[in-house]
Amino acid sequence: MVELVPSILSADFSKLAVEIEAAERGGGSVIHIDIMDGHFVPNLTMGPPVVKSLRKVTSLPLDCHLMIDNADKFIAEFAEAGANWIAVHYEACRHLHRTLQLIAQHGMEPAVVINPATRVDFLIEVLPMVHHVLVMSVNPGFGGQKFIPFSLDKIRQLAGLRAELNLNYRIEVDGGVAHDTIASVVEAGADLLVAGSAVFDSGHPEREARVLLKMAREAEQQRQGQNFHSRQAAAI
Ligand code: DX5
Ligand code: ZN
């Protein structure tokens, strides 16, 4: 089942708990937290103390997207803060396999992220050990950017590899996921739909989350129908 993953980067930071509750009422089922260090990406945001505070106000999984160098140094702190999922960038980890192991050793779900310019093929070796793969459909660093269309090919490729290799990682997409793009992202095969500005910018997160989730569910039904028909055609 597809899930809507509101990204609090576009929320009002002075009332994060209220914003999260509203997005949750609208159907958001995982909370995406963007951790930026001003070094790997040209922006600064939040760290483990914010995760720790948010842990007290929601029981939803906290999906931490680390856009930082030296991720290893902070894994224990994120675990103590109550993070559930930790995604690290392929481009920021010199020893990616070790970092993913470290995340799992701390009781969290490990995930890998790729930037728009990074090929899906580079992930083959680590696919069996990740909870999800995060496809960046904008260059990381800021909310409100335009969706990069070739990301759809990468989502399709990851869905194909998952079937071919008999794996069960989930496919998450982040950046420019909004009312005009969410259906095509789901049709391509994404399961976890991160949306920041589309949920929060209007000031009505509950309403927007509900609309986006409805669009995603409809696209998912279409996708399931198409898969069914192609399986039937293959059987003939
Ligand atoms: C960007 C972040 C995203 C951001 C997406 O670097 O990783 O999670 O919040 O924002 P929108 O949905 O506005 O593109
Ligand atoms: Zn993100």
Side-chain angles (χ1 to χ4, degrees):
M1 193 93 133
V2 291
E3 292 189 74
L4 183 72
V5 184
S7 164
I8 59 167
L9 187 62
S10 291
D12 181 341
F13 279 21
S14 69
K15 47 169 187 167
L16 276 180
V18 175
E19 295 273 77
I20 288 174
E21 280 160 21
E24 184 172 350
R25 280 197 306 276
S29 48
V30 177
I31 300 300
H32 186 84
I33 307 175
D34 288 303
I35 312 292
M36 304 187 191
D37 66 354
H39 194 258
F40 174 63
V41 287
N43 197 2
L44 267 178
T45 54
M46 46 210 149
V50 175
V51 174
K52 193 174 174 185
S53 300
L54 296 183
R55 181 71 295 162
K56 294 179 198 148
V57 301
T58 181
S59 55
L60 295 183
L62 298 177
D63 171 28
C64 298
H65 173 190
L66 270 50
M67 286 161 272
I68 63 174
D69 287 328
N70 298 319
D72 293 16
K73 219 174 118 184
F74 298 97
I75 300 304
E77 252 186 277
F78 278 106
E80 278 160 34
N84 301 96
W85 305 354
I86 297 280
V88 292
H89 271 260
Y90 172 86
E91 303 83 7
C93 296
R94 189 170 287 175
H95 303 287
L96 177 62
H97 183 272
R98 176 184 290 153
T99 303
L100 294 170
Q101 277 184 324
L102 191 67
I103 295 167
Q105 281 160 8
H106 282 81
M108 301 178 289
E109 299 285 5
V112 63
V113 195
I114 45 172
N115 277 339
T118 303
R119 296 176 61 107
V120 165
D121 313 27
F122 295 147
L123 303 180
I124 301 276
E125 320 299 347
V126 298
L127 289 178
M129 64 195 294
V130 295
H131 170 262
H132 63 276
V133 176
L134 172 48
V135 174
M136 286 309 297
S137 39
V138 299
N139 286 292
F142 304 95
Q145 302 180 78
K146 208 170 156 349
F147 184 84
I148 299 173
F150 68 69
S151 314
L152 296 175
D153 293 329
K154 296 167 87 175
I155 297 168
R156 284 188 206 104
Q157 203 183 339
L158 280 163
L161 277 169
R162 179 170 59 189
E164 192 183 314
L165 303 172
N166 203 15
L167 296 172
N168 50 21
Y169 55 81
R170 303 181 80 191
I171 302 168
E172 185 171 46
V173 61
D174 182 9
V177 175
H179 304 71
D180 56 339
T181 53
I182 199 161
S184 52
V185 162
V186 172
E187 278 159 23
D191 312 296
L192 299 164
L193 313 162
V194 177
S197 51
V199 170
F200 293 103
D201 271 10
S202 70
H204 298 283
E206 178 178 349
R207 184 186 73 197
E208 296 311 324
R210 190 168 288 127
V211 170
L212 288 162
L213 187 59
K214 185 168 181 282
M215 294 172 97
R217 291 261 155 86
E218 282 166 8
E220 186 182 33
Q221 282 187 345
Q222 290 265 352
R223 178 174 92 190
Q224 282 162 350
Q226 276 156 10
N227 288 346
F228 176 72
H229 288 305
S230 54
R231 275 199 306 276
Q232 273 197 326
I236 294 168

